[in-house]
Amino acid sequence: MSVLIYIDHADNQVKKSSLEALSYGSDLAKQLGTEADALILGTVEDDLALLGKYGVRNVYQVSNPQLNQLDAQVFTAVIADAISKTGADTIVFSGNATGKAVAPRLSARLKAGLVTGAVALPDTANGFTVKKTVFSGKAFAFVQLLSPIKIISVNPNSYSVKEGSGSAEISSLDITVPAPKVKVTATNKVSGSVPLGEAEIVVSGGRGLKGPENWGMIEELAGLLGAATACSRPVADSHWRPHHEHVGQTGLAIAPNLYIAVGISGAIQHLAGVNRSKVIVVINKDPEAPFFKQADYGIVGDAFEVMPKVIDAVKKLKGK
Amino acid sequence: MKILVCISKTPDTTAKIAFTDNNTKFAADGVQWIINPYDEWYALVRALELKEKDASTVLHLINVGGADAEPVIRKALALGGDEAIRVNSDSRDSFTIASQIATHAKSVGYDLILTGKETIDYNGSSIGGMVAELLDMPYISLATKLELSGTTATVTREIEGGEEIAEVSLPLVVACQKGMAEARIPNMRGIMAARTKQLKVIEPVAVEALTSISSFGLPPAKAGVKMIPAEQAEELVRLLHEEARAI
Ligand SMILES: Cc1cc2nc3c(=O)[nH]c(=O)nc-3n(C[C@H](O)[C@H](O)[C@H](O)COP(=O)(O)OP(=O)(O)OC[C@H]3O[C@@H](n4cnc5c(N)ncnc54)[C@H](O)[C@@H]3O)c2cc1C
Ligand SMILES: Nc1ncnc2c1ncn2[C@@H]1O[C@H](COP(=O)(O)O)[C@@H](O)[C@H]1O
């Protein structure tokens, strides 16, 4: 019996969403009176012993470089093998792209109940029930896991990273890696910018900005705040902004600390992707815009007049 | 080429979300039901495009649901596809649903199985991966593009901060999202044709559920918005820094 946390990485580094999963998993182990261990497939440059700071005892590594590329089928086979070798019975993933690809497969393979989109630690007083978001963040559900082995995939940005001291024991697992069927031929990353799904702050623009040529102020504010940029669906559909910036019911669902919406009306489908943000700021010239009902701070005004003032004030705050 | 598209029924995106029976059931009264947008706009339309390129393609739709799902299945057939299969089960457990789809798929032997990236009601993002594992097929999630050349698929999927392109041989399971295709509106001919297309109902195989939903809840309402006059925009920055501690 133990909790095993799957550690995801890219560009030789452990992902932030995995640190959240680690904190979740080690808190869960404490709650269950058991130990937490981590599992990493492939290789990274980070010092894995440092993952002990997040409360794990062992870091198991399958350091076959073939595992630096995702083939969900191969990963599932390797993780299933690692589970039987380590005796883990609760498996924690981050609900990021890798978690979405692998956790359901693992669930079917092990006949292990899976809850995706978990936002809080399970209630283990009477059974094992996990709170998750449903209806695109408009509601939540309590899902009971009925099987002996349980898998939880934690919503990114839903559990805070807790850093303590401590050092983990690293041991390598000897697992045969099956030949992949998926051959990755190219990876295109938007360089230099903060990935939207992981961003603490997001500055987002809607149709109220009139055209792509007016995105300079969105980018400038985002740059000053170390934020990612996002947009509403019609903005992406009109090719003013790239598709991966589209947030909402049919785009990416995000949960940053701060979401600044400029010239976005706040349609229900847009809200569905951003309503888990901790603080919402709305700048809109229409006082009747529905977004104000969901906001924490609002300014009724013309974005072209308000944004330069906000940018100046942030520059002063940051001493620039 | 045989393609299977998994179709689920979800409340309309503007539906009011409320619960009854002591918060254990979704309040379905007066709710409009639609084809889950990811299934309709991306999975189904991409499958139709592939069929248009290669007329010998057989395209089946599958839904695991009760008889109340039939209007939504007919709507999907109006967009296209040769026939639909409904597995008569009301289960909400992802593994149970995936097992029904996999059992049917095994009996036909599809080259390509398409799902949406998630249902907009239960947000499981699970069925595609489970079906793939049960059929021992490779799986690409969060796919934004899919091209076929013979029995090789080239698929683009979203990763954090970008995308990845991969080559995979069929058979294959792909979970589709935005980028895959452009939404279509069914035309009169499609709607007429859908009436006569076959909608086969089959009984589910016995599967033990791995999960069950105990109850639902709604997030607490916002405390209310603090409005800042436009001429004092700098005040917003002070509040975000000192009060909300967000910057
Ligand atoms: C099934 C379905 C799924 C959908 N999924 C999504 C989704 O995932 N994401 C999404 O965003 N939408 C989605 N939509 C679309 C959604 O319904 C809205 O149409 C869309 O969000 C509106 O985008 P917008 O707010 O940018 O534009 P608009 O609704 O046109 O609003 C523009 C806003 O800008 C304000 N404005 C104008 N000029 C200025 C100015 N100078 N300064 C300040 N404010 C100004 C206006 O007052 C207005 O409120 C979906 C729709 C459907 C039917
Ligand atoms: N009851 C169902 N019947 C058929 N397909 C389904 C069903 N539920 C989900 N799916 C498919 O699986 C995808 C992912 O659903 P989910 O894992 O529930 O988020 C959906 O987009 C559908 O393509």
Side-chain angles (χ1 to χ4, degrees), chain B residues 31-231:
Chain B
V31 167
Q32 276 245 32
W33 296 93
I34 59 168
I35 312 169
N36 184 42
Y38 294 105
D39 310 353
E40 175 182 349
W41 301 354
Y42 308 125
L44 178 55
V45 176
R46 186 64 192 131
L48 294 173
E49 290 171 355
L50 293 171
K51 189 176 160 77
E52 283 156 11
K53 271 195 207 154
D54 172 4
S56 71
T57 301
V58 174
L59 174 55
H60 291 174
L61 317 182
I62 189 167
N63 169 265
V64 181
D68 56 347
E70 293 200 354
V72 163
I73 303 174
R74 288 274 174 218
K75 247 184 87 185
L77 282 172
L79 282 159
D82 300 306
E83 64 172 64
I85 298 99
R86 177 171 70 82
V87 186
N88 189 27
S89 156
D90 274 328
S91 177
R92 274 281 158 220
D93 173 55
S94 303
F95 179 71
T96 308
I97 297 173
S99 301
Q100 306 307 333
I101 297 172
T103 303
H104 166 76
K106 224 176 253 168
S107 74
V108 177
Y110 295 98
D111 304 288
L112 183 62
I113 301 178
L114 301 182
T115 72
K117 87 158 179 177
E118 67 179 13
T119 43
I120 64 166
D121 48 4
Y122 292 94
N123 305 135
S125 309
S126 302
I127 305 284
M130 288 179 173
V131 169
E133 185 65 25
L134 292 168
L135 296 172
D136 199 23
M137 289 182 189
Y139 173 52
I140 306 283
S141 52
L142 303 175
T144 55
K145 279 194 198 93
L146 164 67
E147 296 295 339
L148 292 183
S149 157
T151 57
T152 305
T154 304
V155 193
T156 304
R157 73 175 186 107
E158 178 195 305
I159 55 172
E160 279 82 34
E163 58 178 34
E164 188 174 86
I165 302 165
E167 273 176 21
V168 203
S169 342
L170 303 180
L172 169 69
V173 181
V174 179
C176 307
Q177 62 166 342
K178 192 179 168 116
M180 198 41 93
E182 296 289 340
R184 289 186 185 180
I185 301 164
N187 56 29
M188 212 46 201
R189 222 179 48 172
I191 296 167
M192 299 303 282
R195 290 194 192 152
T196 56
K197 283 182 188 167
Q198 198 181 32
L199 199 172
K200 249 195 252 166
V201 180
I202 57 178
E203 287 308 312
V205 289
V207 179
E208 210 160 317
L210 303 176
T211 62
S212 102
I213 296 182
S214 326
S215 64
F216 294 96
L218 294 172
K222 283 259 174 194
V225 54
K226 195 175 254 187
M227 297 303 292
I228 299 138
E231 14 343 308

Side-chain angles (χ1 to χ4, degrees), chain A residues 15 105 135 144 185 297, chain B residues 121 133 160 165 212 214 243:
Chain A
K15 287 186 190 165
R105 289 198 77 119
F135 295 97
Q144 199 173 356
T185 54
Y297 298 97
Chain B
D121 48 4
E133 185 65 25
E160 279 82 34
I165 302 165
S212 102
S214 326
E243 186 179 83

Side-chain angles (χ1 to χ4, degrees), chain A residues 196 231-233 236 242-252, chain B residues 178:
Chain A
L196 186 51
C231 66
S232 66
R233 183 168 137 218
H243 276 306
H244 62 78
E245 284 197 1
H246 156 202
V247 291
Q249 182 124 44
T250 45
L252 198 65
Chain B
K178 192 179 168 116

Side-chain angles (χ1 to χ4, degrees), chain A residues 238-296:
Chain A
S238 320
H239 305 292
W240 296 359
R241 297 298 290 176
H243 276 306
H244 62 78
E245 284 197 1
H246 156 202
V247 291
Q249 182 124 44
T250 45
L252 198 65
I254 55 172
N257 256 328
L258 174 61
Y259 183 71
I260 303 179
V262 187
I264 304 177
S265 58
I268 190 159
Q269 297 94 352
H270 185 84
L271 296 175
V274 303
N275 55 11
R276 289 188 300 113
S277 310
K278 289 204 183 69
V279 177
I280 294 180
V281 173
V282 171
I283 300 172
N284 194 305
K285 71 172 185 192
D286 174 9
E288 301 297 324
F291 220 147
F292 285 118
K293 290 205 182 68
Q294 299 298 319
D296 299 280

Side-chain angles (χ1 to χ4, degrees), chain A residues 206-216 235 240-241 304:
Chain A
R207 209 147 53 174
L209 291 177
K210 310 285 188 281
E213 67 283 2
N214 296 324
W215 244 261
V235 165
W240 296 359
R241 297 298 290 176
F304 297 95

